[in-house]
Amino acid sequence: MPEIHVKVGSSVGLHARPASQFVKAATATGSDVRIGRPGSDLVDARSMLSVLGLAIGHGEEVVLRTDGDGAGDALTELSRMLESDLDA
């Protein structure tokens, strides 16, 4: 299961619109995608409530883990998305 550590670039963190955009992209990959803080349990990145429940702020480091067909490509796409300011 490929994994990467990423710093969140959105100025408001993963709240409201950025979280919604990320969850939609995670769902569209067709892969099992998990997200969370390093050293903590990861949650389903395809669940809006789970992602919002993490309360990830701007500049925080998160772990992304994917599994399934195209997991590596999904990881690359989603990590780039998280590093950008989705609220700009």
Side-chain angles (χ1 to χ4, degrees):
M1 196 178 253
E3 168 179 305
I4 191 168
H5 290 239
V6 178
K7 288 202 178 195
V8 174
S10 286
S11 57
V12 295
L14 279 182
H15 300 283
R17 186 173 42 193
S20 175
Q21 292 172 348
F22 174 74
V23 167
K24 285 178 187 174
T27 302
T29 67
S31 296
D32 178 25
V33 182
R34 316 283 295 167
I35 187 171
R37 288 183 173 85
S40 298
D41 290 336
L42 304 183
V43 301
D44 187 352
R46 299 165 297 175
S47 165
M48 184 68 168
L49 288 177
S50 294
V51 172
L52 286 174
L54 292 171
I56 300 291
H58 170 75
E60 281 194 66
E61 183 179 21
V62 296
V63 176
L64 271 182
R65 186 179 297 159
T66 58
D67 192 25
D69 291 338
D73 291 337
L75 192 63
T76 300
E77 174 189 338
L78 293 171
S79 65
R80 285 184 186 152
M81 181 177 227
L82 283 177
E83 291 172 333
S84 65
D85 188 353
L86 298 174
D87 225 23

